Amino acid sequence: MSKDNERAVLAGGCSWIMQQLLRHRDGVISTRVGWMGGEGDNPTELTNGGHAEVVEVIYDPDRLSYRELLEYFFIVHRPDLGSDVVATIYRSEIFHTSEAQRVIAEETICDVDASGHWPGKVVTRVTQAGRFLVDPPKDQDYLQRFPVGCPAPFPRQSEAGGVS
């Protein structure tokens, strides 16, 4: 990471989807998926210890400001849906890495609420970043490697009426 690049850690639903959405913004240098915000060192989807799925974003602040990154983040996920709706691991949370990021995050949340863009009040938490627990290589860049996404959890019906 260049000394001029900055780091953001964002939770906004499935990390594979969020990584795919965030990676293409001009100014984003790299992204990695992982976990943050809970207890334990080996979170999984089933035993997450309160961690959220997160995306670590390394970006060039000369090309993309933290505020611009957050504005995009608030467009591409539902920040008005709480953990009771989307589950704790898919919650909306900004893990700030500095006091300046905390202030910008809180100001952005107020502005998003005032905009009326979402039907409900933004429930995104703003929390000091802790240790980033990076996912293994098999979970990185998932939707680039598997563009059709996850396999269906049930057999699909073909147009002819059979199971495919």
Side-chain angles (χ1 to χ4, degrees):
M1 185 167 89
S2 163
K3 67 177 181 156
D4 296 329
N5 293 335
E6 293 186 16
R7 175 179 178 246
V9 182
L10 305 170
C14 172
S15 60
W16 292 342
I17 296 169
M18 190 57 60
Q19 180 183 40
Q20 191 69 359
L21 292 167
L22 293 170
R23 75 172 353 118
H24 296 294
R25 294 294 297 178
D26 182 48
V28 170
I29 308 301
S30 66
T31 58
R32 294 190 302 171
V33 297
W35 301 87
M36 190 176 283
E39 301 293 324
D41 292 338
N42 298 304
T44 67
E45 190 172 12
L46 297 177
T47 58
N48 55 65
H51 285 287
E53 289 191 6
V54 298
V55 179
E56 176 190 63
V57 179
I58 306 302
Y59 65 98
D60 177 351
D62 291 333
R63 294 171 39 213
L64 176 69
S65 72
Y66 187 63
R67 170 68 187 225
E68 291 168 328
L69 179 62
L70 293 183
E71 287 174 353
Y72 183 70
F73 170 70
F74 282 114
I75 290 171
V76 299
H77 85 289
R78 289 290 304 268
D80 63 326
L81 300 179
S83 296
D84 58 325
V85 176
V86 297
T88 302
I89 66 170
Y90 302 124
R91 67 185 179 262
S92 179
E93 191 161 357
I94 298 168
F95 293 93
H96 64 87
T97 62
S98 68
E99 181 63 15
Q101 281 191 355
R102 183 193 65 75
V103 169
I104 292 167
E106 290 175 354
E107 289 172 352
T108 305
I109 288 170
C110 288
D111 292 344
V112 170
D113 265 337
S115 76
H117 182 76
W118 295 107
K121 182 172 175 35
V122 171
V123 297
T124 304
R125 293 192 254 176
V126 178
T127 309
Q128 170 114 26
R131 189 170 61 141
F132 175 68
L133 302 168
V134 65
D135 268 340
K138 71 177 183 64
D139 290 329
Q140 299 299 326
D141 306 311
Y142 191 87
L143 292 178
Q144 279 193 318
R145 293 182 297 116
F146 303 101
V148 295
C150 303
F154 49 86
R156 297 178 195 258
Q157 296 293 321
S158 70
E159 288 183 27
V163 175
S164 59

